[in-house]
Amino acid sequence: MRSFTFHPGPRLIAGAGKSEAIADLLPEGPVLFVTDAQLVELKLVDSCLQALEESGRPVTVFDQVEADPSRTTLEAAVEAGRSANARSVVGFGGGSPMDVAKLAAYLLGSGDDLDEIWGVDLAKGDRLPLVLVTTTAGTGSEATPISVITCEGGVKLAVNARPLTADWAVLDPGLTVGLPRGVTAATGIDAVVHAIEAYTSARLKNPLSDALSREALRLLTANLLTACTEPRNLQAREAMLLGAHLAGLAFSNAPVAGVHALAYPLGGLHHLPHGVTNALMLRHVLQHNSEAAREDYAELAPIVVPDCESEGSQARVALLIDRLDQLVRESGIATRLRDYGIDVSEAPTLAREAMKQTRLLVNNPCEISEADALRLYEAAW
Ligand SMILES: NC(=O)c1ccc[n+]([C@@H]2O[C@H](COP(=O)([O-])OP(=O)(O)OC[C@H]3O[C@@H](n4cnc5c(N)ncnc54)[C@H](O)[C@@H]3O)[C@@H](O)[C@H]2O)c1
Ligand SMILES: [Fe+2]
């Protein structure tokens, strides 16, 4: 057997209504509850907060997290936790609140300086106890040791280190039935991309991450359109949450690559939702990779395209790429850069920015040079 290392994720509780059990997962003492204003307004946080309050724990709600959270927001969350003398942290929401919660729990617990820990495995201290309740399906952030923060100039930086893995993740499908169609589609495609990029991850893919990727891709592609068209279908919502979580576990071990590397500059410079940026680049990066990753893509194809097993590997890859493109379109996501007001003259800037995502580019099955990136942005335009 080829040697490999596999890191499990947090302990997991899944099921409708399970988010109300979070008080049992936390130590005594004040709790910093990190979320966003919309989830407060929608009253999605109410039953969780009530459960915490009934448990007698003082709760400080920090609800100022914006999509693609900034460093300033992270620092404000840490400050709120410090003033409240928080003994634990809950992240409640999509990737944005969960990422802030993870890093806030780490900075509060370790006392580390943020500028010393950007990158992989540089955060080695202790964090505060941490529970993540995901309300999108999703970034998989509840499963991963990664926190992504938008820094100066719109550049997304990440801390990727084991201490950021939560103690508990909670998958409660009841929380996702009100997820608007656009967010369902975008976060669902993000999860699909996690599964695919983990499966072709150049350095660290292994039999366990492969198994997780395959099952994630099956659950996600079979349920995304149902979740979009029947938002209250709990079975589809459950499958999406589980698929996104499994994809998160997969890419925690076998990190994502070119699609994310080219998606990040679009998010940083244009504030498009993370899943939309991935959807925009998916087809083009997969085509770029199609020779280098041919065997892997051909293995994934039958999961997404039934009855293609008799085809040769090249045909399977083409069918896979087409079917994924169709899934993106049917989910309602517009697929060209021009649809979002981006000018083709921006392609060189985007390509330059993408080259900064070295932590992701090294995982791609083949090289993406700046000239390649330019061509891929032009193709996506
Ligand atoms: N840590 C990781 O491993 C990881 C992986 C991928 C992406 N990310 C990061 O995650 C962030 C994006 O997260 P996201 O895509 O989950 O979106 P998000 O957290 O930014 O939320 C998007 C919008 O959806 C709303 N929303 C969330 N749940 C809802 C619900 N149940 N009902 C109604 N509205 C709801 C939010 O209020 C918000 O307005 C980006 O910053 C991205 O870089 C992190
Ligand atoms: Fe992602």
Side-chain angles (χ1 to χ4, degrees):
M1 181 190 280
R2 221 179 95 197
S3 57
F4 69 93
T5 306
F6 182 82
H7 299 275
R11 283 172 284 175
L12 177 67
I13 299 190
K18 288 295 181 192
S19 55
E20 289 163 31
I22 58 169
D24 301 338
L25 311 177
L26 297 169
E28 294 300 321
V31 182
L32 173 67
F33 189 96
V34 180
T35 186
D36 68 45
Q38 188 170 324
L39 299 178
V40 172
E41 184 158 336
L42 290 171
K43 301 193 179 300
L44 219 59
V45 295
D46 287 8
S47 57
C48 247
L49 285 179
Q50 195 183 340
L52 287 173
E53 273 152 22
E54 280 168 7
S55 76
R57 292 169 176 79
V59 180
T60 299
V61 177
F62 180 85
D63 67 359
Q64 295 307 303
V65 180
E66 72 280 37
D68 299 310
S70 67
R71 182 179 182 141
T72 315
T73 300
L74 169 66
E75 285 165 351
V78 171
E79 198 40 53
R82 199 170 283 135
S83 333
N85 194 24
R87 304 317 318 151
S88 64
V89 178
V90 173
F92 184 104
S96 301
M98 289 194 289
D99 280 6
V100 170
K102 287 156 91 170
L103 208 37
Y106 179 79
L107 293 170
L108 285 164
S110 67
D112 280 5
D113 179 347
L114 182 57
D115 284 317
E116 305 290 313
I117 60 168
W118 296 119
V120 182
D121 287 337
L122 296 175
K124 295 183 168 30
D126 294 324
R127 58 153 171 73
L128 293 185
L130 172 67
V131 175
L132 297 173
V133 184
T134 180
T135 67
T136 63
T139 60
S141 175
E142 79 285 354
T144 74
I146 304 164
S147 173
V148 185
I149 301 294
T150 304
C151 294
E152 233 171 280
V155 177
K156 284 197 166 197
L157 295 180
V159 177
N160 179 346
R162 293 295 143 196
L164 263 64
T165 305
D167 295 299
W168 287 95
V170 182
L171 306 182
D172 183 344
L175 295 175
T176 65
V177 295
L179 199 60
R181 177 169 179 150
V183 185
T184 301
T187 57
I189 293 295
D190 183 27
V192 167
V193 176
H194 294 158
I196 294 171
E197 294 212 282
Y199 201 76
T200 58
S201 197
R203 299 169 305 130
L204 296 168
K205 94 188 217 96
N206 63 66
L208 289 185
S209 67
D210 283 353
L212 290 162
S213 289
R214 279 196 297 264
E215 178 61 1
L217 192 64
R218 187 188 71 75
L219 287 164
L220 294 163
T221 53
N223 288 281
L224 177 63
L225 296 179
T226 310
C228 285
T229 53
E230 299 170 31
R232 306 203 70 80
N233 184 323
L234 263 191
Q235 262 180 345
R237 292 297 193 180
E238 243 170 52
M240 290 302 292
L241 271 179
L242 188 58
H245 188 76
L246 299 183
L249 294 174
F251 88 85
S252 296
N253 286 278
V256 293
V259 181
H260 273 74
L262 268 62
Y264 273 149
L266 294 168
L269 298 173
H270 289 278
H271 298 289
L272 299 175
H274 174 71
V276 169
T277 60
N278 275 311
L280 283 165
M281 300 316 297
L282 178 60
R283 176 183 193 104
H284 307 288
V285 176
L286 259 49
Q287 261 160 355
H288 176 78
N289 295 349
S290 60
E291 212 29 64
R294 191 202 303 190
E295 290 310 316
D296 288 339
Y297 290 160
E299 282 168 18
L300 292 179
I303 298 172
V304 185
V305 188
D307 305 326
C308 71
E309 276 172 86
S310 58
E311 305 283 346
S313 60
Q314 219 166 8
R316 285 200 209 186
V317 174
L319 286 166
L320 173 73
I321 296 174
D322 276 351
R323 178 68 191 104
L324 290 170
D325 197 47
Q326 189 188 346
L327 190 67
V328 169
R329 285 169 201 279
E330 288 179 1
S331 76
I333 300 175
T335 55
R336 297 202 296 189
L337 298 188
R338 68 182 78 173
D339 299 327
Y340 300 87
I342 298 170
D343 199 273
V344 71
S345 65
E346 293 179 52
T349 310
L350 290 164
R352 206 164 39 247
E353 286 300 308
M355 291 303 105
K356 294 182 185 163
Q357 298 296 334
T358 48
R359 82 179 168 99
L360 302 174
L361 291 168
V362 292
N363 305 313
N364 206 56
C366 58
E367 192 197 353
I368 300 181
S369 66
E370 191 168 335
D372 294 329
L374 179 63
R375 181 174 49 76
L376 296 174
Y377 283 121
E378 283 170 354
W381 186 77

